[in-house]
Structures are given as C-alpha cells and as structure tokens.
Amino acid sequence: MIVVMKRSATAAEVDTVVKQVEVMGYHAHLSQGTERTIIGVVGDNRPVQPHNFEMLSGVEQVVRILQPFKLASRDFHPDNTVINVRGVEVGGPRITVIAGPCSVEGRSQLLETAHAVAEAGADILRGGAFKPRTSPYAFQGMGEDGLELLAEAREETGLPVITEVMSPETVALVGKYTDVFQIGARNSQNFPLLTAVGKTHLPVFLKRSMMGTIQETLMSAEYVLSGGNRQVMICERGIRTFETATRNTLDINAIALMKLWTHLPVFGDTSHGTGKWELVSPTARACIAAGADGLMIEVHPHPELAMSDGAQSLKPEKFAALVHELKQLAPVLGRTM
Ligand code: PEP
Ligand code: MN
C-alpha cells in the first residue's frame, strides 16, 4: 500500500503518516518526487485499511499496489531513479555504456581493453574476477588479483568499474574494489546474496535469470531495495527459449515493459543476449530504441584468445563504431550520449 500526500502537504503531515505506519508495525519508505511525497507501507499490510491513512491531514489518496514488488514499482516512485556512479549519472536522459572483457585475464589484456573502451566513449568498465562458469574445469577468474587489476584500470582511465559478486561471503572483499556490484543471471534469485548487497551502499546491477520472469526479476530487486539500498539497476540479458540459433533470446519486450513497471534504470546486455558478436550491435540499437537506459557490451582486443565469451565479444574498433552509431541514434529518441 502507498500513501500519496497532497502537493501542499507539510513536513509535519508527512511525519504524522510515517509515525502512523510505524505504530501499526510496518516500515515507512519515503519517495520524495518532484511533484509530491509518496509513503510506502512496507510489510504484509493486508490487514491495513485505507481509512487508517485517508483520515490523516495532508493525505490525498491511499492506493493498494497490486504488483508484488512495491519499492521497485513506478506507483511508489513515479520519477526515474538516477544513480550516480562516481560521477556517471545512470537512469537519466544520458545513455550509459558499460564495456569491457567478460573476464579479467591479466594486466595487459585488461589495461589494453580499458583504454580502448574509454577512448571509444564507454562510461563504466566491466570485467569478471569471480566467474560463474557452467563447468568447474573452465577458467574461474583471477579472484582478488583480478579485482586489483580493475582498480588499477580505474586509476589509469578514470572509468568506474563493475564486477560480479557471487556469494555473501565475498561482498566485503569485492566491495573494497568495485564501484558497482554485478549480480549475475545465475545468482538472480540467490536471496542471501541479494540481502547482503542490500545492506551495502554500493549500486547493484542485477541481471535477469535466463529462466526468470520479469516479475521475479523485479522481486529480486525488491530484496535489495527493502534492505535499504535504493541503488539498483536491472539488466535484460536474454532468456532460454526453444530457439538454439542464438545463445539466448534477448527479450526486448522485457525492456519496454520494465520501463513501464519500474523506476529503476534498465539495461540490455546484447553480448549474453545473443552469444554472437555479429548480433551485438544491431540488438544494442534495438535495446536503446525500446527505451533502455544503457547497455552492457563485452569487448576483447583478441576475442579468439579470450578465456570466456570470446564469440560474443566485440573488438575495440567494432565497439567504437557502435558507440558512434548510438550517438547518432540517441537524440532521435530524446536521449543524450
Ligand atoms: C557476465 O556478465 O560475464 C555474465 C556471466 O553474465 P550473465 O550472468 O548474464 O550470464
Ligand atoms: Mn561473459
């Protein structure tokens, strides 16, 4: 349930509603929009009746949110959430491009890629140090050494960095180095992990599971938000379907629908979404056209030698060409880059 305050509501009236929420045994989450304040009544609030709040002064309307996600929903927070990642504004008019290798493989590989994507116009550098691999025999990532290299690349290029965290036990370690926690598709419903990053102050980039519905994805975001961390970005990265010609089926519907349902920034990852480098740029353009706030693109200077996901990685010059195209596309869609 949400309590929508009148435009003219005073701070004292807002405070009275918050107290009433707490007296009834719930948590009050405030959303201060440009137009008005909205107070989320968080908890199993089925016993709450609208008149518990309607009778208080300054209250315009009490609305039951029918979707099971509350804090993630646009009803609760009509304006887009804008997240500041070391000076990069994510979720505003400007399109955000996250780029870099699937895995951090070594110093020269990472620094070469970092400089190339920075020069091409990327906003945030990606690179996995802890890799969730299907096979236990495949390269598992460089671990903390990889995190140190990411920090070095940030120092050299000025780009903020994002890397995956796979377990609650490593949240503190990864948080020492990264600017954004990536939650991978395979951990999209790892509830202890979501709870752990929800207690931190770093932004969280949550990927949709390959078999997760849009609603389940937003419920995962709700875990992070309800823990007190309001800085969540959602990423569509392709789902499993009957189609085997591509690695996954990039669900463009999900991007357009999530922009309606949630105020959180929405991304498209067209490397994992397609599995084929030839499809990365066309589908990236489609994501932006569908309303995505940003992209995640895998880039590798020598994809044929990559230790993971080479087939879906762009070479730096192809990535630069994509950014150039997106810069032309952005203004047509009312965006900047
Ligand atoms: C990745 O970003 O390299 C990755 C493992 O992605 P996903 O979790 O979407 O498979
Ligand atoms: Mn990858």
Side-chain angles (χ1 to χ4, degrees):
M1 180 176 284
I2 56 171
V3 181
V4 182
M5 300 302 292
K6 286 185 181 145
R7 228 182 273 234
S8 58
T10 64
E13 286 169 338
V14 171
D15 209 44
T16 304
V17 175
V18 168
K19 293 226 171 73
Q20 170 86 330
V21 171
E22 287 164 356
V23 163
M24 295 180 78
Y26 302 103
H27 290 292
H29 282 250
L30 250 67
S31 163
Q32 236 109 28
T34 45
E35 295 275 304
R36 58 187 80 237
T37 298
I38 297 177
I39 300 157
V41 184
V42 180
D44 181 5
N45 56 30
R46 278 170 296 190
V48 181
Q49 294 303 315
H51 75 260
N52 295 133
F53 297 103
E54 275 165 357
M55 296 173 69
L56 300 177
S57 75
V59 172
E60 174 153 306
Q61 208 189 355
V62 176
V63 184
R64 270 195 201 280
I65 300 185
L66 297 175
Q67 298 274 27
F69 48 90
K70 314 282 180 207
L71 302 175
S73 85
R74 256 206 206 276
D75 297 328
F76 170 59
H77 192 292
D79 298 332
N80 288 333
T81 282
V82 179
I83 299 172
N84 188 311
V85 181
R86 276 183 170 256
V88 177
E89 288 212 329
V90 180
R94 200 165 167 279
I95 289 163
T96 305
V97 180
I98 302 175
C102 177
S103 300
V104 178
E105 300 169 3
R107 191 164 183 275
S108 62
Q109 173 251 12
L110 185 67
L111 293 183
E112 184 182 347
T113 315
H115 282 290
V117 299
E119 202 166 306
D123 302 291
I124 300 174
L125 174 68
R126 65 151 285 151
F130 292 97
K131 295 301 301 176
R133 304 306 299 279
T134 304
S135 164
Y137 309 118
F139 176 56
Q140 303 287 310
M142 291 180 71
E144 189 167 5
D145 292 345
L147 298 176
E148 277 172 8
L149 291 174
L150 283 166
E152 188 180 339
R154 170 177 57 210
E155 194 70 30
E156 283 209 7
T157 60
L159 294 181
V161 298
I162 173 172
T163 197
E164 179 160 353
V165 60
M166 294 209 299
S167 65
E169 297 74 38
T170 49
V171 165
L173 172 70
V174 176
K176 268 199 334 201
Y177 295 92
T178 198
D179 300 306
V180 182
F181 285 120
Q182 176 170 324
I183 303 293
R186 289 156 192 80
N187 275 312
S188 200
Q189 286 191 310
N190 180 336
F191 302 118
L193 179 60
L194 296 169
T195 302
V197 295
K199 290 187 189 138
T200 72
H201 301 294
L202 284 180
V204 173
F205 186 90
L206 171 68
K207 290 186 136 194
R208 180 184 183 184
S209 160
M210 54 276 268
M211 65 277 191
T213 64
I214 294 166
Q215 190 177 93
E216 283 164 345
T217 307
L218 293 173
M219 289 309 288
S220 292
E222 195 78 9
Y223 265 86
V224 181
L225 297 166
S226 63
N229 187 342
R230 304 292 185 90
Q231 306 192 86
V232 182
M233 311 164 216
I234 315 276
C235 181
E236 161 60 30
R237 48 77 71 207
I239 51 173
R240 282 268 166 88
T241 67
F242 60 83
E243 181 55 73
T244 55
T246 50
R247 180 177 178 181
N248 290 295
T249 297
L250 183 74
D251 185 4
I252 296 281
N253 292 355
I255 289 176
L257 190 58
M258 285 195 289
K259 285 301 296 174
L260 294 179
W261 281 2
T262 184
H263 52 91
L264 300 171
V266 174
F267 280 70
D269 169 351
T270 63
S271 289
H272 295 88
T274 64
K276 293 186 191 304
W277 71 266
E278 297 96 321
L279 305 182
V280 169
S281 295
T283 51
R285 297 192 295 263
C287 288
I288 297 303
D293 297 294
L295 296 164
M296 174 172 267
I297 308 285
E298 288 184 331
V299 178
H300 197 292
H302 309 286
E304 66 287 356
L305 301 176
M307 295 172 87
S308 59
D309 289 350
Q312 62 189 37
S313 298
L314 292 185
K315 289 186 180 170
E317 48 290 6
K318 289 269 188 309
F319 173 69
L322 169 62
V323 173
H324 181 72
E325 287 170 355
L326 294 172
K327 282 189 171 152
Q328 293 171 279
L329 182 59
V332 178
L333 300 163
R335 310 294 295 251
T336 58
M337 247 190 100

